[in-house]
Amino acid sequence: MSVITQGTRQHQPGKNPSLPPPINTENPLYWVRKNLFNSIPDTSLTLISLYMIWLIVPGFVDWAFLDADFFTDDRFGCTSDGACWGLITSRWDQFIFGYFPREERWRVVLCFFLLALAMSPVLYDKIPYRRPLLVHTICFPVIAFWLLIGGFLGLEAVETSRFGGLMLTLVLGITGITLSLPIGILLALGRRSEMAGVRVICVFFIEFIRGVPLITLLFMASVMLPLFLPPGVTFDTLLRVVIMVTLFASAYMAEVIRGGLQAIPTGQSEAAQALGLSNWQSLRLIVLPQALKISIPGIVNTFIGLYKDTTLVVIIGLLDLLGVGTANLADAKWLGLSSEVYVFVAVIFFIACFSMSRYSIFLENKLNTGHKS
Amino acid sequence: MTNGSTDSLAIQMTDVHKWFGSFHVLKAINLSVQDGERIVICGPSGSGKSTLIRCINALEEHQQGSITVVGTELTNDVQNIDAVRREVGMVFQQFNLFPHLTVLENCMLAPMWVRHMPKKDAEEVAMRLLERVKIPEQALKYPGQLSGGQQQRVAIARSLCMNPKVMLFDEPTSALDPEMIKEVLDAMIELAQGGMTMLCVTHEMGFAKTVADRVIFMDEGEIIEENEPEEFFNNPQNDRTKMFLSQILDH
């Protein structure tokens, strides 16, 4: 039998052994060299970045923590050079509950807790007791309505005008997020429908909503809508705002999902039809799951946009997390502490948005089935 | 809806016409297929072969003439179309497996949702057919993790799970690497020997010679010639057929 010589090794044909790679790619030093100091531009960018971090981070840490006053009753109590967190520590309940009646706040706390419980089976499908939890998720909107607004079953009614702070932000954000996805899917399907009437309505709706700034829509909801309604008929400002925020996000969602639908090859629905699945089954079991999976980055992008857009409600007089902060800045006791308020609000928003972003990456990895076509 | 007992015809196409826009793709197609008959359809690209078999399960709508499949006539009635699709399996050139489902789930989907088979039974049927195409060990993988040949065999098993009376193959080996063609053809030959009614668009002339009862040659939307494989290959009548055969057989 012939023998092949490769370098100093000899082997028989087809028996060439697999050798370890010449450089240990697992080595952290290798990673540093490859990713941070690979070339001259690479190295200079790394050094510039390090310099900027050195410039900003220590100063910020000094201001926010080391030189800061945490507990004071007004701005005159802040004697050091750093941040004056007294506004936040003394008014934290307003930041969370808004102007919700003090003796009823346990309802909001309970609602937060139940919300976490309701979200868990949707976010993690391997959670224990998933089925009973899902039943809770389905009932949660009613429970939340009862807890937050009340007025029946032994709970006192609370006016929605007393909602505020983080709680208002969450009510708007989460209702908007949960409703905009299904509405967006329906609009996307409608826009691709073969029925001309449905298609025209969907196109008109999407293009109208996308063509107008959210602020305009909110103004319309709060100022113009009452003009069209018969005198004496009012409906809740919060409800109007929720509807507008949801519709606004739905229009963007529809386009994101339409992109996903267009990326699915026609062969998929043909195969489903050839197997005897109805159009509806083919859509629900084959096309939509794949289209939604492709659209995850865009969907989460829209979610994050919606969540941050909730701060715009301040212009029609609702005080969300940011609104509560700015309202307190007008208080003579705390004049001039805008940096503290904005940093605090930014951190809270960042936590929510960054979590959504990380979750979307987790979901993409989980749904990855090795298919690229 | 089926009256198959008195009628041994699996498929009956009478004077079928179809246009794509103003392009006349199928011209006066007349074709009868007996139960258990194996038919190979060949012809140059653009000759309407694929369109012909896609009309049989209504993936394409014919515009004139009539098509009756296992006793049900294809009309605009969605119920008739669904009834036909339940009895007709199809294998595509591009496999068209569902990438978000495992191989097993791909096979179980239609029996469960269309035939309302209990999950356990559907799983049993699926495993039996995956064994028949010799890839039971891949059941829990996703299509994206399989080779082309394996994917196409899964596609065959997926169609068979619906226990169809007719199988349509639309160039099942054209997207495969040469070394994988044989494993797919073997699965098809096995199926043919089991008595399945098959219509197969393919350029695999070896397959045609081995299993076909009849070979049909199409060009420009017409059936130019049809004959038993022996006669068809050794003694083609039409000039167009002769030219086509000389092009694909002489290498």
Side-chain angles (χ1 to χ4, degrees), chain A residues 239-254:
Chain A
L239 180 64
R240 282 182 276 175
V241 167
V242 165
I243 292 175
M244 280 307 173
V245 169
T246 306
L247 293 183
F248 187 75
S250 304
Y252 285 87
M253 193 64 81

Side-chain angles (χ1 to χ4, degrees), chain B residues 6 17 30 37-39 61 125 129 147 170-171 210 245:
Chain B
T6 56
H17 289 263
N30 285 295
E37 205 175 2
R38 279 97 49 169
I39 291 179
E61 206 179 332
V125 171
L129 287 161
S147 72
D170 190 0
E171 305 205 25
T210 321
L245 286 177

Side-chain angles (χ1 to χ4, degrees), chain B residues 52-111:
Chain B
L52 174 75
I53 69 163
R54 285 162 61 88
C55 279
I56 294 172
N57 65 354
L59 284 185
E60 301 289 353
E61 206 179 332
H62 61 286
Q63 285 146 319
Q64 212 175 303
S66 80
I67 304 179
T68 305
V69 185
V70 285
T72 309
E73 186 177 350
L74 281 173
T75 56
N76 285 330
D77 190 341
V78 181
Q79 290 208 331
N80 283 13
I81 293 177
D82 284 347
V84 166
R85 284 177 179 164
R86 278 197 290 273
E87 305 304 332
V88 178
M90 185 162 194
V91 174
F92 298 85
Q93 182 178 356
Q94 299 295 342
F95 327 136
N96 293 351
L97 292 178
F98 307 132
H100 62 305
L101 301 176
T102 63
V103 165
L104 188 61
E105 287 165 340
N106 263 277
C107 295
M108 290 162 62
L109 187 82

Side-chain angles (χ1 to χ4, degrees), chain B residues 154-182:
Chain B
V154 172
I156 294 173
R158 178 175 72 175
S159 289
L160 292 177
C161 282
M162 283 293 281
N163 196 18
K165 298 204 170 70
V166 176
M167 284 287 286
L168 307 173
F169 292 85
D170 190 0
E171 305 205 25
T173 55
S174 303
L176 294 174
D177 290 340
E179 52 183 335
M180 293 172 183
I181 290 175
K182 186 177 176 301

Side-chain angles (χ1 to χ4, degrees), chain A residues 121-191:
Chain A
V122 180
L123 298 182
Y124 300 103
D125 57 357
K126 290 201 180 72
I127 204 158
Y129 305 108
R130 182 155 191 252
R131 268 173 189 276
L133 280 174
L134 275 175
V135 174
H136 166 66
T137 308
I138 292 165
C139 302
F140 180 73
V142 180
I143 301 173
F145 184 86
W146 176 59
L147 280 173
L148 295 181
I149 295 178
F152 56 97
L153 288 180
L155 282 187
E156 225 168 291
V158 176
E159 297 233 354
T160 53
S161 56
R162 313 205 48 175
F163 284 24
L166 180 64
M167 170 224 168
L168 178 65
T169 301
L170 285 177
V171 166
L172 287 170
I174 289 174
T175 328
I177 283 172
T178 353
L179 293 178
S180 64
L181 184 59
I183 297 176
I185 292 174
L186 289 179
L187 285 170
L189 294 175
R191 193 168 184 166

Side-chain angles (χ1 to χ4, degrees), chain B:
Chain B
M1 214 162 289
T2 41
N3 55 353
S5 55
T6 56
D7 196 351
S8 67
L9 275 184
I11 298 165
Q12 168 86 51
M13 300 176 91
T14 317
D15 194 30
V16 171
H17 289 263
K18 173 158 183 71
W19 289 262
F20 284 137
S22 60
F23 177 57
H24 202 169
V25 263
L26 293 181
K27 299 170 184 164
I29 300 290
N30 285 295
L31 175 66
S32 309
V33 182
Q34 305 288 320
D35 264 341
E37 205 175 2
R38 279 97 49 169
I39 291 179
V40 163
I41 303 170
C42 59
S45 71
S47 61
K49 322 177 287 284
S50 290
T51 312
L52 174 75
I53 69 163
R54 285 162 61 88
C55 279
I56 294 172
N57 65 354
L59 284 185
E60 301 289 353
E61 206 179 332
H62 61 286
Q63 285 146 319
Q64 212 175 303
S66 80
I67 304 179
T68 305
V69 185
V70 285
T72 309
E73 186 177 350
L74 281 173
T75 56
N76 285 330
D77 190 341
V78 181
Q79 290 208 331
N80 283 13
I81 293 177
D82 284 347
V84 166
R85 284 177 179 164
R86 278 197 290 273
E87 305 304 332
V88 178
M90 185 162 194
V91 174
F92 298 85
Q93 182 178 356
Q94 299 295 342
F95 327 136
N96 293 351
L97 292 178
F98 307 132
H100 62 305
L101 301 176
T102 63
V103 165
L104 188 61
E105 287 165 340
N106 263 277
C107 295
M108 290 162 62
L109 187 82
M112 281 171 64
W113 287 89
V114 180
R115 296 247 193 256
H116 306 291
M117 197 184 272
K119 190 175 177 193
K120 204 162 150 268
D121 298 359
E123 196 173 323
E124 229 173 79
V125 171
M127 283 313 295
R128 200 177 68 230
L129 287 161
L130 286 174
E131 265 159 46
R132 190 166 163 193
V133 295
K134 303 192 174 62
I135 33 176
E137 71 283 356
Q138 312 287 358
L140 299 180
K141 288 195 186 163
Y142 285 95
Q145 297 164 310
L146 305 187
S147 72
Q150 290 172 324
Q151 289 193 49
Q152 195 59 299
R153 285 185 284 154
V154 172
I156 294 173
R158 178 175 72 175
S159 289
L160 292 177
C161 282
M162 283 293 281
N163 196 18
K165 298 204 170 70
V166 176
M167 284 287 286
L168 307 173
F169 292 85
D170 190 0
E171 305 205 25
T173 55
S174 303
L176 294 174
D177 290 340
E179 52 183 335
M180 293 172 183
I181 290 175
K182 186 177 176 301
E183 63 188 57
V184 171
L185 288 181
D186 283 347
M188 290 167 63
I189 290 170
E190 196 263 343
L191 192 61
Q193 285 162 350
M196 175 66 75
T197 311
M198 291 167 69
L199 270 87
C200 190
V201 174
T202 184
H203 296 124
E204 293 297 327
M205 291 305 136
F207 174 78
K209 283 176 191 162
T210 321
V211 302
D213 297 312
R214 216 171 355 142
V215 180
I216 289 175
F217 176 72
M218 285 183 75
D219 191 23
E220 312 224 324
E222 283 179 276
I223 295 181
I224 303 277
E225 186 165 349
E226 53 178 301
N227 218 330
E228 289 168 12
E230 186 103 345
E231 276 292 291
F232 180 84
F233 289 112
N234 296 336
N235 189 16
Q237 302 298 309
N238 191 292
D239 286 345
R240 188 69 191 84
T241 319
K242 285 178 194 161
M243 205 174 87
F244 177 76
L245 286 177
S246 72
Q247 277 165 351
I248 61 168
L249 295 178
D250 297 350
H251 280 291

Side-chain angles (χ1 to χ4, degrees), chain A residues 207-247:
Chain A
E207 296 305 340
F208 173 74
I209 298 267
R210 286 203 308 171
V212 176
L214 178 56
I215 294 190
T216 317
L217 290 174
L218 291 175
F219 263 128
M220 266 172 59
S222 74
V223 182
M224 280 174 66
L225 202 59
L227 299 178
F228 302 139
L229 292 171
V233 177
T234 57
F235 80 100
D236 197 89
T237 313
L238 181 66
L239 180 64
R240 282 182 276 175
V241 167
V242 165
I243 292 175
M244 280 307 173
V245 169
T246 306
L247 293 183

